Amino acid sequence: MDEVIQVTQWLSSITPRKKAKLFFFTTHADAPSPMVGSNDVDTHEETQLPLATTVALHNFKNIDEFLKKKVSTFSCYNEIENEITKTDYEYLRFYSACKYLDVVPPFLDLEKISTIQNKFEMTDEERDYRLLLDSADLVLEKVCDSLKPAGVSQMWTALRKDRNLIRGVKTIDIIGFFVDPNPTGIKECLFFFIVRFLQKADKINRVNTNRLERLIAQCDESSSCEEGKTIDFIIDSLRFYPTELYPFGFCLIMCVIEGRDGAMQEIEKTMEISRHLGMVTHTEKNPTKETIELVKKELMKPKYQFYSSFTCWFMSHGDSNSMVLADGETIEREWFLTSFPDISTFQLKPKVFFMVSCRGANKFSLKGDEFEGQSATCDYYDIGSALIRNRMLDITDSVRDISYVQPMMDTLVAYSTILDHLSGRANTHGSIYVDRACVLMSENISRGRSLTEILEHLSQDLHEILQETMDEDRIVYKQACHYDSFFRKTLKLPYTRHPKEDVHSAPQ
């Protein structure tokens, strides 16, 4: 059958709502870099003009033409080049969006997709289409689904009132002030236009969503929310780190085995919980400084920009400032913690470090006969608060910036013990901190708990446990853990573990 006819039939089978979503997912705001063919060309017209004309004319002609052009480009594309190109990235995004929306073109060349995945050096586990979807866009899709057409229309009216923001923007004028978002698919096009416009104007990104939240907050709840949804519910959904679908993130486990009883148990437990959470996991036993440098270099590869989060478990001996590696050399803990968050592939994404080692030799000792032989070691405030806000500083958009970010932002470092103190171990099961952390995370899947809530529970749980030193003094003591957070959003554990799909199965 002629390709033009095939494409026409394929487009005619897609509903307007799905066309709007397919366009949105395909014109993703933040493509991985560096990339061949990605030279910061202004894509304003490509990403916003089709949406604007669709809303203004109630006609999907321009979005159809955009999708036809994409299909034609992919059909003619030669994916054999060694370097990863912008088209490689777009092809994977387009395929994953089609798969997610269940509109995969029957004529799409799956062999090309496999070849492109090879260029990205993706493992079998990483070839799951869900990895290729941008989790921030999925959150925005859910926000859109929670709003009625009237709600999106009210957001548009609020945006149009910000004259400093919209001055000179032609696509804004194309849509006009008054919009009828009720025809099928128009609500989605208008919402996605607002989102992409704010992203291009550098007002929101995957972490900074305050400007979008303020637009939603101006909606009338009775007319703007779908049944069962509220303005607070919708805004709250934007205050979590976007980690939708599988995988939950990438997990790196580094564990020094030499001279550490129970180290293999630590590896097994952390691997089990990371996989239970739906993470893709990599383990490095007995790491050296060279190993760490190689891992950092690996994490800078383009494929890691598809991940939604990064978690690292580092388990070794240590003192107040450093950690002991497998070859006996030491590295400064601060150097380790500041070198990983600066990796560009995980910018604006949550990065969690579990640092499991002693930080000194001090102990919170417990004295008294009742402790003899007792030990576990042996085997914006609210947007609607107008009255309060009236008393606060008026922080205008002109003094806000989301472009420049301190490297440690969006990072959380969890320590197994406090400074200058021991980190306890069991004879055969390794770190008690690792054991309790894995148990609590496993127990709290499906309960909607955030990571910090679990860490606070872990702090309580660990501090109840009596431990005993393994030297001849047999001192009974307690251990206190803590964490330092530079998070700007809340990181929730997934409600369920999303199982890995068969990557070789044909699209439905």
Side-chain angles (χ1 to χ4, degrees):
M1 186 184 296
D2 181 80
E3 183 178 297
V4 175
I5 298 175
Q6 286 184 311
V7 173
T8 302
Q9 290 179 345
W10 169 66
L11 285 171
S12 66
S13 69
I14 305 175
T15 65
R17 292 182 71 245
K18 286 191 175 182
K19 282 183 182 178
K21 292 184 177 185
L22 182 57
F23 180 89
F24 179 65
F25 293 139
T26 305
T27 56
H28 176 62
D30 304 304
S33 59
M35 282 204 161
V36 176
S38 181
N39 53 0
D40 296 327
V41 175
D42 182 13
T43 57
H44 168 79
E45 289 193 358
E46 184 181 55
T47 58
Q48 296 181 50
L49 187 57
L51 290 171
T53 55
T54 302
V55 172
L57 303 175
H58 291 182
N59 186 313
F60 277 77
K61 177 182 176 181
N62 284 342
I63 287 182
D64 285 350
E65 289 301 319
F66 171 88
L67 295 174
K68 285 180 183 178
K69 183 179 177 181
K70 284 292 180 189
V71 171
S72 177
T73 299
F74 298 150
S75 177
C76 302
Y77 178 56
N78 179 7
E79 75 283 4
I80 305 302
E81 299 176 39
N82 291 327
E83 293 180 295
I84 294 174
T85 69
K86 182 180 178 182
T87 305
D88 289 326
Y89 169 76
E90 290 177 345
Y91 204 141
L92 293 183
R93 284 289 192 199
F94 178 77
Y95 165 70
S96 64
C98 288
K99 182 82 169 162
Y100 172 70
L101 295 169
D102 196 23
V103 294
V104 178
F107 48 84
L108 195 67
D109 191 341
L110 300 185
E111 288 298 322
K112 281 188 180 180
I113 293 170
S114 180
T115 302
I116 293 171
Q117 289 172 327
N118 290 340
K119 290 170 68 174
F120 275 92
E121 301 178 33
M122 290 183 171
T123 64
D124 285 347
E125 198 170 12
E126 291 170 327
R127 291 175 187 244
D128 191 306
Y129 80 94
R130 292 170 295 181
L131 171 65
L132 307 174
L133 292 163
D134 184 74
S135 54
D137 281 351
L138 293 175
V139 170
L140 292 166
E141 179 207 17
K142 290 183 178 180
V143 171
C144 181
D145 290 344
S146 299
L147 290 166
K148 290 181 177 178
V152 179
S153 181
Q154 291 166 30
M155 289 176 61
W156 176 247
T157 301
L159 178 66
R160 286 295 305 256
K161 291 178 180 178
D162 190 340
R163 298 191 177 183
N164 290 329
L165 182 60
I166 68 172
R167 185 178 291 117
V169 181
K170 293 181 180 179
T171 46
I172 296 282
D173 294 330
I174 289 173
I175 296 176
F177 200 93
F178 298 103
V179 177
D180 177 11
N182 289 295
T184 305
I186 301 302
K187 176 195 82 169
E188 286 75 16
C189 287
L190 181 59
F191 180 83
F192 296 146
F193 175 86
I194 293 171
V195 167
R196 290 291 186 246
F197 170 75
L198 291 174
Q199 289 171 337
K200 294 296 179 183
D202 225 8
K203 296 301 180 183
I204 65 171
N205 54 34
R206 64 185 298 118
V207 172
N208 302 89
T209 53
N210 285 339
R211 192 66 184 84
L212 183 62
E213 292 172 26
R214 281 151 53 193
L215 289 178
I216 297 171
Q218 294 181 60
C219 296
D220 172 58
E221 187 164 278
S222 62
S223 62
S224 61
C225 300
E226 292 288 353
E227 186 176 353
K229 309 296 183 185
T230 64
I231 294 295
D232 285 344
F233 172 86
I234 295 170
I235 290 175
D236 283 346
S237 69
L238 290 167
R239 293 181 176 170
F240 299 106
Y241 280 108
T243 53
E244 302 290 304
L245 292 184
Y246 171 93
F248 181 63
F250 182 81
C251 181
L252 171 65
I253 299 170
M254 290 185 166
C255 183
V256 175
I257 298 173
E258 302 299 329
R260 297 182 66 250
D261 294 337
M264 290 304 298
Q265 285 281 329
E266 295 171 353
I267 293 174
E268 290 177 13
K269 290 172 186 175
T270 50
M271 284 182 64
E272 182 179 6
I273 189 60
S274 66
R275 288 173 177 167
H276 194 52
L277 290 169
M279 292 183 175
V280 174
T281 305
H282 176 76
T283 302
E284 289 287 348
K285 299 176 183 176
N286 288 325
T288 62
K289 193 162 187 177
E290 181 182 5
T291 307
I292 294 171
E293 292 295 344
L294 288 173
V295 168
K296 285 166 57 181
K297 186 177 180 180
E298 167 69 20
L299 292 175
M300 295 176 71
K301 292 180 178 179
K303 72 173 182 177
Y304 291 99
Q305 294 213 28
F306 291 114
Y307 284 95
S308 300
S309 69
F310 173 75
T311 299
C312 176
W313 293 83
F314 195 99
M315 297 166 281
S316 71
H317 289 306
D319 57 29
S320 58
N321 297 314
S322 60
M323 302 177 295
V324 183
L325 301 175
D327 55 7
E329 296 292 318
T330 61
I331 57 168
E332 295 294 313
R333 189 178 285 105
E334 191 68 22
W335 171 84
F336 180 86
L337 289 172
T338 55
S339 60
F340 276 89
D342 205 19
I343 293 174
S344 60
T345 44
F346 290 101
Q347 285 183 354
L348 300 180
K349 298 173 184 178
K351 296 164 283 289
V352 179
F353 294 84
F354 290 95
M355 309 304 292
V356 184
S357 69
C358 290
R359 301 178 69 194
N362 293 340
K363 299 170 288 293
F364 176 59
S365 304
L366 305 178
K367 296 181 169 50
D369 293 342
E370 67 270 28
F371 297 116
E372 291 291 331
Q374 296 186 41
S375 167
T377 317
C378 297
D379 213 44
Y380 157 103
Y381 59 27
D382 184 352
I383 286 179
S385 301
L387 293 177
I388 296 177
R389 289 180 63 187
N390 288 339
R391 302 192 195 104
M392 301 296 182
L393 285 172
D394 182 17
I395 307 298
T396 63
D397 284 347
S398 63
V399 294
R400 292 180 182 272
D401 173 79
I402 66 172
S403 304
Y404 301 97
V405 181
Q406 288 277 4
M408 285 298 289
M409 295 306 293
D410 307 305
T411 300
L412 182 148
V413 183
Y415 296 95
S416 62
T417 189
I418 58 177
L419 186 63
D420 297 327
H421 283 68
L422 285 175
S423 180
R425 309 177 54 72
N427 288 338
T428 57
H429 288 71
S431 166
I432 296 176
Y433 174 88
V434 170
D435 180 86
R436 302 316 301 160
C438 292
V439 166
L440 290 176
M441 281 190 276
S442 178
E443 288 178 349
N444 281 281
I445 288 181
S446 79
R447 295 182 181 177
R449 299 280 194 265
S450 69
L451 177 63
T452 48
E453 285 180 297
I454 292 169
L455 291 176
E456 287 156 6
H457 190 177
L458 172 60
S459 180
Q460 176 191 141
D461 186 46
L462 184 67
H463 201 57
E464 291 178 355
I465 299 172
L466 301 177
Q467 302 186 51
E468 188 175 64
T469 60
M470 298 181 185
D471 55 22
E472 59 183 19
D473 294 331
R474 312 297 287 183
I475 297 172
V476 177
Y477 68 97
K478 280 189 171 186
Q479 180 177 338
C481 60
H482 76 109
Y483 66 89
D484 294 331
S485 176
F486 303 88
F487 274 6
R488 292 182 286 171
K489 285 184 180 289
T490 302
L491 178 61
K492 272 195 174 184
L493 268 64
Y495 279 93
T496 58
R497 184 198 187 285
H498 297 285
K500 180 177 177 294
E501 291 197 349
D502 182 3
V503 297
H504 301 294
S505 61
Q508 300 297 314

